[in-house]
């Protein structure tokens, strides 16, 4: 497997003892930790912006980083991302923040250095738009939401 070299700036020294990394050899995401000083309660239906303690330099416009929720936090506690998916462009150099949203009816306590989200590096292609008057016909055509059935 090829590895992409990504420069990481550690902004919270506590991470040096527990750097974000892949949990297993098959993991697609790197766990991001809540770099907060004290336990924080995320109230029901509220969003909080949480620092991750790191900044990235992807250095290649063919890649971006995506922040995704952790499935266990979402399923068990209703903790997902306030923007559903976070996108880190290749030219962003600042600290990565995570917008945590408590979609449940129960307050959630986030502990310092707790794993709160995951970061995935993905390939990106920038499109060059070609203006046309019509598209070639297809079997589906302009059929949208639900047009292909429930299956």
């Amino acid at each position: 497997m090829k590895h992409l070299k990504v420069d990481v700036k550690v902004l919270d020294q506590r991470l040096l003892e527990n750097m974000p990394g892949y949990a297993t050899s098959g993991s697609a995401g790197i766990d991001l930790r809540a770099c907060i000083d004290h336990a924080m309660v995320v109230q029901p239906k509220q969003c909080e912006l949480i620092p991750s303690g790191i900044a990235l330099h992807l250095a290649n416009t063919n890649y971006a980083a995506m922040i995704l929720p952790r499935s266990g936090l979402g399923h068990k506690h209703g903790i997902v991302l306030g923007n559903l998916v976070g996108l880190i462009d290749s030219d962003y150099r600042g600290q990565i923040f995570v917008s945590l949203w408590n979609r449940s009816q129960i307050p959630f306590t986030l502990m310092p250095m707790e794993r709160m989200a995951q970061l995935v590096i993905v390939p990106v292609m920038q499109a060059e738009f070609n203006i046309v008057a019509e598209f070639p016909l297809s079997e589906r055509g302009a059929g949208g939401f639900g047009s292909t059935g429930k299956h």
Side-chain angles (χ1 to χ4, degrees):
M1 169 185 282
K2 268 187 161 178
H3 293 278
L4 176 69
K5 297 288 185 185
V6 176
D7 291 337
V8 177
K9 187 188 301 183
V10 175
L11 304 171
D12 188 312
Q13 297 305 304
R14 295 175 292 178
L15 289 174
L16 293 175
E17 297 173 13
N18 199 358
M19 277 297 289
Y22 296 99
T24 68
S25 62
S27 295
I30 297 168
D31 287 325
L32 295 176
R33 295 187 177 274
C35 289
I36 53 179
D37 293 327
H38 307 286
M40 172 185 278
V41 177
V42 183
Q43 296 295 336
K45 307 302 178 193
Q46 295 297 309
C47 282
E48 297 290 343
L49 199 57
I50 313 295
S52 71
I54 63 169
L56 299 179
H57 179 197
L58 291 172
N60 186 330
T61 58
N62 294 319
Y63 294 96
M66 296 178 73
I67 301 172
L68 304 170
R70 294 191 67 234
S71 56
L73 286 179
H75 180 70
K76 295 175 186 173
H77 304 286
I79 301 299
V80 294
L81 302 185
N83 53 341
L84 303 183
V85 174
L87 178 64
I88 310 298
D89 296 309
S90 65
D91 57 354
Y92 178 68
R93 303 288 188 273
Q95 178 167 205
I96 294 172
F97 285 86
V98 176
S99 175
L100 287 186
W101 172 36
N102 184 350
R103 65 179 179 166
S104 79
Q105 301 295 327
I106 301 167
F108 175 77
T109 301
L110 182 67
M111 301 303 292
M113 306 310 288
E114 184 174 351
R115 295 178 301 156
M116 62 174 166
Q118 53 189 332
L119 181 132
V120 177
I121 308 289
V122 296
V124 171
M125 292 190 77
Q126 290 185 337
E128 182 178 314
F129 288 116
N130 180 40
I131 306 295
V132 299
E134 295 292 330
F135 297 125
L137 295 178
S138 74
E139 182 180 334
R140 182 175 184 166
F145 294 97
S147 66
T148 60
K150 236 179 159 180
H151 307 104

